[in-house]
Amino acid sequence: MKPIYLTGIKPTGTPHIGNYFGAIKQAIELSKNSDYQNLYFIADYHALNSLKGKEEMQRYFKELACTWLACGLDPEKVLFYRQSQVPQTTELCWVLNNVTSKGLMNRAHAYKAMVEANVNLGKDVDDGVNMGLYNYPILMASDILLFNTKFVPVGADQKQHVEMARDIAKAFNKKYGYTLVVPSEVIEEKTATILGLDGRKMSKSYGNQVPLFCDEMALKKLIMSIKTDSSLPTEPKSTDCTLFDYFKLFGTEAEVENMKQRFAEGISWAEAKTKLFEVANNYLKPMREKYNYYMEHFEEVIAILEKGEEKARAIAKETMERVKQAIGVV
């Protein structure tokens, strides 16, 4: 049996180029490796803590599902599904709650950060903390352990999630005998941090994103708004800037080298932004066309997900049968 790689992304916002170059692109490349069985899921239950209501959930789920397919995810080669459509996820989550110590949850980064913020503001340490946030790592462990996952690709800042899943699996196996596959993290050292239009990290909270599939006019307007320095049009430009960083993302090796030379010679910022728009639009246009197609024919996307979900439930059912036998509720 091929080792299983598992990746999930929350539908908590409109996908932007930071999401694509920071995570989605690498995940798509990994999905092409036939040495592994790759599982990709939309973590909609995980998004509940971040969204305002039903409308946001439906909108962002649709956008994310279409994004995966537009970017090249092949549902014939991977298992693609929604977390919420595999009921064994929450069933296993409850079982895992009973082998997970409160102390472990107290060490979770998200919870600790919220406690620290509350302390700094003079509030009760648990102000605004719900059990969804507190138990988030257990639900994530369930996502991982339910599918016999061996490897979970993550950035260095997400390593703790897999470490906790490993600790929870070991705690279960120690109590009930070896039942759950113990996972390992695969650290994506080259995961990029993409800066926003204003030079800060690209984030919805800063309003500095470049949506991955905005139309050409919107893309051009956003690129022309990139923050630059006050150097004159004929003066040499430093390549240590957001504009050139974007060019490296979208341009070919030859295009990047040519632009590097133009920076040294003294290209104007206006011309540089125009050139960036051209390479960015050429890069994104084929994916944008696929994205728009899937958004307009979403019933095809649902059919793809349902096919994957049927397979996912079959795997999950087998895992839960082993778990139930182990805990004695069969």
Side-chain angles (χ1 to χ4, degrees):
M1 182 177 177
K2 296 180 180 179
I4 292 175
Y5 269 74
L6 180 139
T7 297
I9 294 184
K10 295 186 295 183
T12 55
T14 297
H16 53 69
I17 65 170
N19 301 138
Y20 175 72
F21 287 107
I24 295 174
K25 183 180 179 183
Q26 292 94 320
I28 297 295
E29 288 302 313
L30 179 63
S31 73
K32 299 175 183 177
N33 191 330
S34 60
D35 293 333
Y36 308 104
Q37 182 178 354
N38 292 283
L39 278 64
Y40 291 78
F41 70 97
I42 296 175
D44 43 2
Y45 276 162
H46 278 301
L48 288 174
N49 251 306
S50 304
L51 301 180
K52 296 177 181 178
K54 174 181 177 180
E55 291 73 20
E56 278 197 345
M57 175 67 83
Q58 292 177 331
R59 172 189 170 189
Y60 294 143
F61 154 63
K62 182 177 181 180
E63 290 178 348
L64 182 57
C66 292
T67 294
W68 273 115
L69 296 173
C71 290
L73 190 71
D74 186 348
E76 296 300 320
K77 295 182 179 180
V78 305
L79 203 160
F80 185 41
Y81 64 97
R82 287 167 287 184
Q83 177 191 46
S84 61
Q85 301 307 304
V86 183
Q88 293 89 348
T89 303
T90 49
E91 185 179 6
L92 179 59
C93 185
W94 176 250
V95 173
L96 298 180
N97 266 279
N98 291 276
V99 297
T100 303
S101 69
K102 181 175 181 291
L104 183 62
M105 293 299 94
N106 288 343
R107 295 193 291 274
H109 292 327
Y111 174 65
K112 287 177 65 177
M114 200 158 186
V115 168
E116 183 179 355
N118 284 336
V119 170
N120 291 338
L121 293 171
K123 297 180 178 180
D124 181 85
V125 293
D126 285 326
D127 184 68
V129 177
N130 61 38
M131 293 308 295
L133 172 71
Y134 190 70
N135 285 340
Y136 189 99
I138 305 178
L139 180 58
M140 184 168 288
S142 181
D143 292 322
I144 295 168
L145 303 178
L146 187 62
F147 292 98
N148 311 306
T149 305
K150 184 59 181 174
F151 300 110
V152 185
V154 291
D157 61 335
Q158 297 294 311
K159 179 181 178 183
Q160 188 193 55
H161 291 307
V162 187
E163 291 175 337
M164 286 186 162
R166 183 161 57 244
D167 289 343
I168 292 169
K170 288 180 177 178
F172 184 95
N173 291 343
K174 182 178 181 180
K175 184 173 183 179
Y176 294 110
Y178 186 83
T179 307
L180 300 172
V181 174
V182 178
S184 299
E185 67 275 7
V186 177
I187 303 299
E188 298 177 322
E189 300 289 355
K190 296 182 180 179
T191 297
T193 298
I194 311 302
L195 297 181
L197 297 167
D198 57 2
R200 295 182 292 177
K201 181 179 179 180
M202 190 170 291
S203 169
K204 180 180 179 181
S205 61
Y206 295 148
N208 62 357
Q209 318 104 300
V210 179
L212 188 57
F213 298 123
C214 60
D215 62 41
E216 291 187 13
M217 292 301 296
L219 178 62
K220 186 171 185 178
K221 184 176 180 180
L222 288 167
I223 287 176
M224 299 305 288
S225 73
I226 293 174
K227 186 177 180 181
T228 55
D229 63 32
S230 58
S231 57
L232 296 174
T234 57
E235 292 179 335
K237 308 291 188 297
S238 171
T239 55
D240 185 18
C241 65
T242 302
L243 194 154
F244 193 78
D245 286 344
Y246 283 9
F247 203 94
K248 288 188 293 184
L249 295 174
F250 294 109
T252 64
E253 186 175 340
E255 288 170 335
V256 171
E257 283 302 310
N258 180 64
M259 182 56 69
K260 185 176 181 180
Q261 182 63 32
R262 295 296 309 279
F263 264 54
E265 294 170 351
I267 188 174
S268 71
W269 285 124
E271 184 180 356
K273 290 178 179 180
T274 299
K275 294 292 185 183
L276 171 59
F277 165 71
E278 291 172 356
V279 296
N281 192 53
N282 287 339
Y283 187 105
L284 295 172
K285 186 176 181 180
M287 292 194 298
R288 185 193 302 133
E289 290 174 350
K290 290 181 181 178
Y291 176 80
N292 290 337
Y293 173 85
Y294 284 123
M295 289 290 284
E296 294 171 4
H297 300 82
F298 195 58
E299 70 281 358
E300 295 183 21
V301 180
I302 293 298
I304 289 170
L305 284 165
E306 288 177 343
K307 185 176 180 181
E309 288 152 9
E310 184 177 356
K311 296 177 181 179
R313 286 191 293 269
I315 298 171
K317 181 180 178 181
E318 291 181 359
T319 302
M320 283 310 304
E321 286 175 353
R322 294 200 312 272
V323 168
K324 287 180 177 180
Q325 287 176 352
I327 65 177
V329 299
V330 176

